[in-house]
Amino acid sequence: MSARKIIIDTDPGQDDAVAILLALASPDEIEVLGLTAVAGNVPLPLTSKNARIICELAGRPEIPVHAGCDTPLARPLVTAEHVHGKTGLDGPDLPDPEGDLTPGHAVDFIIDTLRAHPPGSVTLCPLGPLTNIATAFRDAPDVIARVREVVLMGGACFEGGNITPSAEFNIYVDPEAANIVFRSGAPLTVMPLDVTHKALVTKPRNDAFRALGTPVGIAVAEMTDFFERFDKEKYGSAGAPLHDPCVTAYLIRPDLFRGRHINVEIETRSDLTLGMTVADWWRVTGRAPNATFMGDIDADGFFTLLTERLARL
Ligand code: RIB
Ligand code: CA
């Protein structure tokens, strides 16, 4: 079976970095057409730079990285330096990128790539706020029908929120963009906190990354050492939740995940619950299903896959 062609839309972010590394380590299953950076965890200049850093860490300097939207559609940017550090990739001491960003706006790259490939052949993998994706869908509605699948990290159901009591960060930062994407009709597969909070980098798992002894393995372990402190203190959890790698792991081993095809709507009006993904898990509303919303993960299988693939870089 030929590799799935994808665009990774990202706001690195240590967990974004691991998701990108996993994709680049899996060329038989995934062909990364390019990365599109969006403002999220840290401002756009840093997420763009970090995306380039990760491609070069993976030994893939040729991967196009396009800078995208620097603010949400309709509200000021909210960032997460408290989680990811000032650079967005705090932890390892990684060199500045040697290569430049690829000219051209990320939204144009998304639109042009979808129009240039056969319908149903390109998968979009948003790992941050959905501003770039929503802008592409709004500016070029014809491309929506050309999308094979949108596999995104975002939202929550039973787990509650992580940036407010009811909202997950990626959705909260740009709820208007999320609303466009969730109502677009594009096939959606969602990796919410209900799944990612079960993908915890415990000490043995992080030791396995470090034991790879490679620049990638050591960098991932050092990213996790930094990234985990916030979640362990907040949740008392056994390690950092690896949110974004659930997206690229799904493309390789969908059998590691369990979910339901349900209706998911986005709260865009209430100040109290802004950015909440209202997931009709028990199908009580009668609203048409629009997303495969994941609820469970084989965490041991996930980390076995991740460690084995990172060892390839
Ligand atoms: O809520 C977790 C998500 O927000 C992850 O994608 C993380 O990188 C941040 O973007
Ligand atoms: Ca992210």
Side-chain angles (χ1 to χ4, degrees), residues 1-8 19 22-24 26 28-32 122-127 148-152 189 191 244-257 294 302 305 309:
M1 187 168 65
S2 62
R4 189 189 279 223
K5 298 181 188 301
I6 75 169
I7 295 173
I8 299 176
L22 175 56
L24 295 177
S26 308
D28 292 341
E29 296 93 347
I30 299 173
E31 179 185 351
V32 179
V122 176
T123 298
L124 303 179
C125 297
L127 309 179
R148 173 174 173 177
E149 186 176 16
V150 178
V151 186
L152 67 93
T189 298
M191 294 289 166
D244 295 334
C246 290
V247 169
T248 43
Y250 169 81
L251 301 178
I252 302 164
R253 288 278 311 278
D255 60 295
L256 293 175
F257 300 90
M294 294 299 178
F302 169 74
L305 171 72
R309 294 296 166 102

Side-chain angles (χ1 to χ4, degrees), residues 79-230:
T79 53
E81 286 88 348
H82 60 291
V83 178
H84 299 275
K86 193 162 177 45
T87 72
L89 278 186
D90 283 29
D93 182 14
L94 297 172
D96 281 349
E98 291 179 10
D100 297 325
L101 293 173
T102 308
H105 195 283
V107 171
D108 294 329
F109 175 73
I110 292 167
I111 293 169
D112 295 345
T113 302
L114 285 168
R115 287 174 172 164
H117 286 80
S121 64
V122 176
T123 298
L124 303 179
C125 297
L127 309 179
L130 290 163
T131 317
N132 286 342
I133 309 298
T135 304
F137 285 4
R138 184 192 62 193
D139 292 356
D142 63 286
V143 305
I144 296 172
R146 304 181 72 89
V147 175
R148 173 174 173 177
E149 186 176 16
V150 178
V151 186
L152 67 93
M153 191 279 140
C157 183
F158 303 104
E159 191 67 10
N162 63 356
I163 189 75
T164 74
S166 55
E168 177 278 326
F169 179 79
N170 287 341
I171 308 299
Y172 176 76
V173 168
D174 199 340
E176 285 77 15
N179 197 36
I180 288 171
V181 174
F182 276 73
R183 291 187 169 207
S184 68
L188 298 184
T189 298
V190 180
M191 294 289 166
L193 297 180
D194 304 74
V195 164
T196 67
H197 279 186
K198 296 171 184 170
L200 300 178
V201 188
T202 58
K203 186 175 184 320
R205 288 166 173 167
N206 207 34
D207 288 347
F209 295 148
R210 203 184 314 273
L212 294 175
T214 59
V216 166
I218 292 166
V220 168
E222 292 176 344
M223 284 185 209
T224 303
D225 286 340
F226 181 88
F227 176 62
E228 73 177 8
R229 82 214 182 289
F230 176 80

Side-chain angles (χ1 to χ4, degrees), residues 255-304:
D255 60 295
L256 293 175
F257 300 90
R258 290 278 178 275
R260 289 184 182 182
H261 193 57
I262 59 172
N263 178 269
V264 181
E265 301 284 342
I266 309 296
E267 177 57 70
T268 57
R269 288 173 294 184
S270 160
D271 290 339
L272 182 63
T273 57
L274 185 70
M276 181 177 185
T277 47
V278 182
D280 188 5
W281 186 261
W282 301 113
R283 299 186 177 106
V284 297
T285 65
R287 290 195 290 255
N290 59 338
T292 298
F293 195 85
M294 294 299 178
D296 208 356
I297 180 176
D298 169 358
D300 286 335
F302 169 74
F303 279 97
T304 300

Side-chain angles (χ1 to χ4, degrees), residues 11 15-16 41 127-128 170 244:
D11 65 334
D15 60 318
D16 299 68
N41 286 319
L127 309 179
N170 287 341
D244 295 334

